[in-house]
Amino acid sequence: MVRQRRVTIDDVASAANVSRQTVSNVLRGTGRVGVETAERVREVVDRLGYVVHPGARSLRSLRTGQIAFPLDELAMDQRDVLGLEFVRELTAAAGTRGYHVLLMTPGMDAIAELIRSARVDGFVFANLRRNDPRIAAVTDRGVPFACMGRTESFQRQAWVDIANGEMVRLAIEHVVQRGHREVTYLGYNLTEYWDAERLTGYEDTMKSLGLVPRSILTDNDEAPMARAAAEAIGGDSPSAIVCASDELAAAVYGAAVDRGLTVGRDLVVTGVGFDVVGRGLSPSLTTVPVPMKTVAELVMRRFMYELEGGPDLPGEFIVPELIVGASTGG
Amino acid sequence: MVRQRRVTIDDVASAANVSRQTVSNVLRGTGRVGVETAERVREVVDRLGYVVHPGARSLRSLRTGQIAFPLDELAMDQRDVLGLEFVRELTAAAGTRGYHVLLMTPGMDAIAELIRSARVDGFVFANLRRNDPRIAAVTDRGVPFACMGRTESFQRQAWVDIANGEMVRLAIEHVVQRGHREVTYLGYNLTEYWDAERLTGYEDTMKSLGLVPRSILTDNDEAPMARAAAEAIGGDSPSAIVCASDELAAAVYGAAVDRGLTVGRDLVVTGVGFDVVGRGLSPSLTTVPVPMKTVAELVMRRFMYELEGGPDLPGEFIVPELIVGASTGG
DNA sequence: ATGAAAGCGCTAACAT
DNA sequence: ATGTTAGCGCTTTCAT
């Protein structure tokens, strides 16, 4: 347990022959330091291995360099490995801006406590419910936040979301370009807004292409999904099935095997999301991956903007890109 | 963005007619304060909504109340929803001790930086590799840590782990008590130590019971698992299959359907872990759940001990309990 | 472009 | 059982 004495800003200052104020200015990049001096200071910082003390800094600056994220966002749901990826990417995106992600237990009390103690500079939320009380809580106290997923129209639009309808449209256009005209949609029952948006995206795109929609919705459980997949394949044996998730696409793969059909040849399938399931499929799945790194990056960027306290900006939609696999003919 | 002035310890002190040191003592429970005074102080604290400033505290006490956890521990692997549960429970367990969990990006650099800046009091690691370099890094700098999973014998034994062999033994004993003597083990190829320990637990238990072992190992992928499950059921149609995970048990359920067998009647199955997959099975699965809440609680307790800087203690094994479902006959 | 002074809120150490 | 003193390491503000 040998802990050597801390290297302080004063150590750096005297070693570099400047005042400690100058070191501070160099470190925070305020710009009001000569280039040569800055160079020298930075060198000494590296040599001595100096790192600012977050506590001392926060005491003075009222900034902690920390963001709270409620982990309960991530349900115990396979569908939510993407959520896990979001946290990881958020941690990375925060890191490049000198920020750290602090986990918090669920509930409003934890939010209040973190705000009062000033342990964090703000919050990132995901998986918002309608008129989510957490938004009101942080807004009331004037604490910055940013969300993955939309806030209400009367709230601050500090959010980033994926364009659900567009994802489905990309998939449809891809299979239609490949000559398919019977395009079935296999999706989830409308519990969340994105379920509805994906379905609407399907219906609108089909209409605009002059095609006849046929959609099958299911609960997000193994058995119902398998049944729905079989149903989607059955009927008039449609040439293409556009799924609302990679998991549903996997279910179609399974149903295809049962029917002795080969995916990519007898039957064309697409997914959405590119989660663990989708990545493991063979033949490789044509899908529309949610670019989590980009999402996290934009959420973090928006958070930094919120921190500045500028006027409200519109929310931001991310339109993912389709990646072509062998499931639509290679 | 209206932020009222911070309530400080001085506000509390003067409102309670004591010195600010007394308030500090009450808050940290040093015990050297009269009962009445403490009562009064606590009341004022509540009334004013006072919360300590973590920065100011850490500046003086050299304690941050924060623990770092590397999120990369959780692979993008369905098997690892349990890992996600661990972080969640760790956050909760930390919370009851006034601690917070800070996520960190993977890599040794992040560890070094967190230590130098003193942003955390220590680390929690999971999913350790053999002779994990991170243990050496924190040990060299005398920084406290605690692990879920074992460290090397020459390192500090600051760990908590589950007794893998015991979990399998519980399952075997359960089915044997119910009259089965042909007990097949369906497990994973030996990539991690727990794979080996579960297999060994199976073999040892079978031997001690005077039964003939028969084990089938598979890769952790959908198709191989399905094949292995079918193989386990086939052969001499064993009466019981003890699986190394709930996912494998789910594969057996699937194979049973294919063969027209009813789980719980024609065939008896057990799992290990009680993850998302296991919870969703029907008929309900007899399994040995990993008690993540307990694991996290013990890891956190050990961490607090490490923080004190006491002599090394042995690592701690957790022996989970079997829960009986319908898959072994109801 | 740089420096000096002041103090953020708290707790360790030393009184009493 | 409680109070006083000093200072943790940094940044803000105000000089120069």
Side-chain angles (χ1 to χ4, degrees), chain A residues 13-26:
Chain A
S14 62
N17 266 312
V18 291
S19 75
R20 80 157 169 259
Q21 185 49 42
T22 298
V23 178
S24 175
N25 284 329
V26 171

Side-chain angles (χ1 to χ4, degrees), chain A:
Chain A
M1 288 283 288
V2 193
R3 257 193 234 201
Q4 41 298 55
R5 201 184 71 74
R6 211 196 144 72
V7 178
T8 75
I9 198 172
D10 282 326
D11 298 332
V12 177
S14 62
N17 266 312
V18 291
S19 75
R20 80 157 169 259
Q21 185 49 42
T22 298
V23 178
S24 175
N25 284 329
V26 171
L27 259 41
R28 288 174 300 123
T30 53
R32 36 192 226 116
V33 181
V35 203
E36 245 174 66
T37 319
E39 183 80 19
R40 182 156 37 95
V41 168
R42 252 185 288 269
E43 194 188 314
V44 175
V45 164
D46 283 352
R47 183 156 53 76
L48 301 186
Y50 169 79
V51 185
V52 284
H53 184 115
R57 170 173 276 180
S58 77
L59 198 51
R60 212 64 186 100
S61 68
L62 306 180
R63 285 284 167 85
T64 63
Q66 299 191 163
I67 306 169
F69 180 80
L71 194 63
D72 57 312
E73 298 307 330
L74 311 176
M76 293 274 301
D77 183 332
Q78 277 158 320
R79 234 171 133 187
D80 250 333
V81 269
L82 282 178
L84 184 53
E85 198 181 341
F86 173 69
V87 198
R88 186 185 289 110
E89 294 296 350
L90 183 70
T91 305
T96 64
R97 291 169 171 85
Y99 263 80
H100 294 262
V101 176
L102 193 80
L103 295 180
M104 53 182 289
T105 46
M108 305 298 289
D109 289 353
I111 295 179
E113 163 101 11
L114 283 173
I115 293 175
R116 277 205 311 228
S117 67
R119 192 177 280 277
V120 296
D121 295 342
F123 294 79
V124 166
F125 297 116
N127 230 330
L128 300 180
R129 273 158 302 154
R130 304 294 330 207
N131 201 3
D132 200 302
R134 299 172 300 178
I135 304 296
V138 294
T139 303
D140 286 353
R141 296 170 225 232
V143 175
F145 70 92
C147 303
M148 175 184 164
R150 275 156 264 178
T151 57
E152 301 293 333
S153 57
F154 55 85
Q155 294 171 329
R156 199 161 166 110
Q157 298 302 100
W159 56 260
V160 174
D161 205 351
I162 45 177
N164 289 292
E166 289 300 291
M167 291 202 289
V168 177
R169 187 176 60 73
L170 288 172
I172 298 171
E173 288 181 350
H174 172 70
V175 297
V176 167
Q177 265 171 25
R178 298 192 151 240
H180 300 271
R181 302 193 53 82
E182 289 182 5
V183 183
T184 297
Y185 176 75
L186 177 58
Y188 295 107
N189 287 319
L190 311 184
T191 34
E192 304 286 352
Y193 69 84
W194 53 80
D195 295 320
E197 288 180 358
R198 289 177 193 186
L199 177 60
T200 308
Y202 168 74
E203 287 169 343
D204 291 352
T205 305
M206 291 297 278
K207 187 179 295 178
S208 75
L209 293 173
L211 300 177
V212 184
R214 169 179 176 255
S215 48
I216 294 168
L217 305 185
T218 169
D219 281 340
N220 184 19
D221 280 312
E222 204 175 329
M225 280 166 59
R227 250 180 277 124
E231 187 189 337
I233 290 187
D236 306 345
S237 75
S239 46
I241 302 178
V242 168
C243 301
S245 78
D246 284 8
E247 246 191 310
L248 285 169
V252 172
Y253 273 54
V257 169
D258 293 345
R259 292 269 301 252
L261 299 176
T262 300
V263 167
R265 197 190 59 192
D266 309 327
L267 181 69
V268 148
V269 186
T270 68
V272 155
F274 209 35
D275 52 31
V276 204
V277 179
R279 278 165 222 199
L281 289 179
S282 170
S284 64
L285 180 66
T286 295
T287 188
V288 187
V290 175
M292 271 305 167
K293 193 183 175 108
T294 307
V295 173
E297 187 63 35
L298 291 182
V299 167
M300 194 59 207
R301 184 194 293 174
R302 178 65 190 233
F303 180 82
M304 298 310 287
Y305 175 82
E306 294 297 310
L307 214 49
E308 306 299 313
D312 196 13
L313 251 39
E316 196 165 351
F317 280 109
I318 295 174
V319 181
E321 288 175 21
L322 179 121
I323 58 165
V324 179
S327 71
T328 49

Side-chain angles (χ1 to χ4, degrees), chain B residues 213-229:
Chain B
R214 170 178 175 255
S215 49
I216 294 168
L217 304 185
T218 169
D219 279 341
N220 183 19
D221 279 313
E222 203 175 329
M225 280 165 57
R227 250 179 279 125

Side-chain angles (χ1 to χ4, degrees), chain B residues 9 20-21 24 28 50 57:
Chain B
I9 199 172
R20 79 160 170 255
Q21 185 54 40
S24 175
R28 288 173 300 122
Y50 168 79
R57 168 173 276 181

Side-chain angles (χ1 to χ4, degrees), chain B residues 134 213 233 237 250 261:
Chain B
R134 298 171 301 177
I233 289 187
S237 74
L261 300 177

